[in-house]
Amino acid sequence: MFDQALRFSWMVRLRRAGLRIIAGIGMVSVLVAAGCSQLEQKERELTFRVAEGTASWYSGLPDGVVESDLPVKTDGKAQHIHAWWWPAANPKAPALLYLHGARWNLTGQTFRIEQLHDFGFSVLAIDYRGFGRSDGGLPSEKTVYEDARAAWEKLTQLQPDPARRYIYGHSLGGAIAVDLAASLSAGRQAGMPAPARGLIVESSFTTLADIAKSLSYPWLPAQLLLSQKFDSLTKIARVNMPVLIVHGTDDRYVPSRFSEALYMAAPERKRLLLVPGGTHNNSMRVGASAYRRAFRDLFGWAPGRAS
């Protein structure tokens, strides 16, 4: 057994850091080292850290957002995921699938969704099962991937033109976005256009194991012990669409070196945008002008305003 006082002080420091997913991932490594029973259940709890209820800073649904429930099937059972659709004023605007990270449901995402809508996107955002008003219990890597695929099917109906579709993921959502983009790329037939105009990954990481090792013991074989892999480093090499990778240089929770590694593994065309002074959660706001330039240079689209 590991020393309880050391465990307590370690957790206090990470909790004060304010990013529960990172505390959770690091704690998984400690639990593994301690030989904790029922590891997979605890690992999923600490990876997703689902916060119940409404985020304290939520001020209400933005005007123009349409709520709906999207069906998803798993193991022959039908469930639903809660979704927000926020169309841009321009009917020819590109549409973006927004995939959030751990802990907070959609009510905690409005500031970033509003920024994307302000760029000129129509935005479809979802809560994975187990989050917010979506069905289901404790999420897993498998279920969030299923939910992203169900949401993508909806986006293809809302925006039939592949050249006007984008995938965006923040933090853990970045890993989910990479998995979706790699899956869509694998299903692409020769001579067919890419299923999306581009993939945008912000403040994300290479693998869950790499995060765990960076926060605990580098010698720990976390890649063998963790059931939730989220291996973006392998999958991003299979993404057959332009990739924009964004990271704040002052991100204290997920170091920007992880995004640099993702960039190196991604095929062409790609761009790495390191936002000076950007943190884990504010790089889109701090680097708004650089974001717009990156959209223009990489995707050939100059963002305007939603209205």
Side-chain angles (χ1 to χ4, degrees):
M1 293 292 293
F2 53 83
D3 183 80
Q4 293 296 321
L6 177 61
R7 171 186 172 185
F8 177 78
S9 63
W10 181 83
M11 282 299 294
V12 166
R13 288 196 300 271
L14 282 177
R15 284 176 187 273
R16 286 175 178 171
L19 188 64
R20 298 297 183 90
I21 178 178
I22 303 305
I25 293 168
M27 188 60 187
V28 165
S29 298
V30 177
L31 289 170
V32 171
C36 178
S37 62
Q38 298 180 327
L39 173 63
E40 182 176 350
Q41 175 82 7
K42 182 59 67 175
E43 178 191 341
R44 288 163 58 192
E45 290 176 0
L46 294 174
T47 296
F48 293 98
R49 299 293 281 191
V50 179
E52 301 292 339
T54 301
S56 61
W57 57 89
Y58 178 63
S59 59
L61 201 66
D63 291 339
V65 173
V66 179
E67 296 183 277
S68 64
D69 293 308
L70 310 180
V72 59
K73 282 190 174 182
T74 180
D75 299 327
K77 298 179 180 179
Q79 293 183 314
H80 291 84
I81 53 177
H82 191 64
W84 290 356
W85 169 242
W86 195 357
N90 181 358
K92 295 184 179 180
L96 176 145
L97 175 60
Y98 179 95
L99 299 167
H100 68 67
R103 188 162 172 74
W104 301 111
N105 58 42
L106 285 175
T107 64
Q109 309 295 321
T110 51
F111 65 100
R112 199 174 291 110
I113 293 172
E114 287 173 341
Q115 180 70 71
L116 288 163
H117 189 257
D118 188 59
F119 282 154
F121 288 106
S122 294
V123 181
L124 177 66
I126 64 163
D127 266 332
Y128 318 110
R129 280 170 291 170
F131 282 83
R133 290 166 54 187
S134 293
D135 294 337
L138 181 63
S140 70
E141 183 175 15
K142 177 177 180 290
T143 63
V144 295
Y145 289 165
E146 291 170 347
D147 297 343
R149 287 173 175 80
W152 178 256
E153 289 301 315
K154 181 63 175 179
L155 191 76
T156 63
Q157 299 169 20
L158 294 166
Q159 176 50 269
D161 184 356
R164 292 179 177 156
R165 296 197 294 248
Y166 292 81
I167 305 168
Y168 170 92
H170 177 264
S171 194
L172 184 66
I176 301 168
V178 169
D179 176 83
L180 176 61
S183 176
L184 294 173
S185 297
R188 179 185 177 189
Q189 297 179 354
M192 295 293 292
R197 183 67 170 266
L199 167 67
I200 305 159
V201 179
E202 182 178 336
S203 304
S204 199
F205 52 84
T206 48
T207 71
L208 204 62
D210 286 344
I211 286 286
K213 287 190 289 187
S214 74
L215 291 164
S216 54
Y217 309 115
W219 50 263
L220 193 71
Q223 68 275 13
L224 302 177
L225 297 168
L226 295 177
S227 65
Q228 311 296 289
K229 305 297 184 183
F230 289 104
D231 184 0
S232 295
L233 191 63
T234 298
K235 293 174 184 175
I236 202 166
R238 303 197 296 265
V239 172
N240 191 7
M241 64 183 71
V243 178
L244 173 61
I245 298 174
V246 184
H247 216 116
T249 59
D250 289 357
D251 190 332
R252 293 183 297 140
Y253 309 120
V254 181
S256 60
R257 69 174 183 273
F258 289 117
S259 279
E260 294 180 54
L262 286 176
Y263 172 77
M264 294 299 295
E268 304 290 346
R269 301 171 50 229
K270 59 185 177 181
R271 178 163 178 176
L272 175 65
L273 174 58
L274 297 178
V275 179
T279 65
H280 189 72
N281 289 307
N282 73 0
S283 288
M284 189 181 296
R285 178 177 57 82
V286 173
S289 297
Y291 242 107
R292 290 173 183 271
R293 289 193 297 271
F295 286 144
R296 181 196 62 206
D297 297 343
L298 182 61
F299 303 128
W301 172 66
R305 294 187 66 86
S307 58

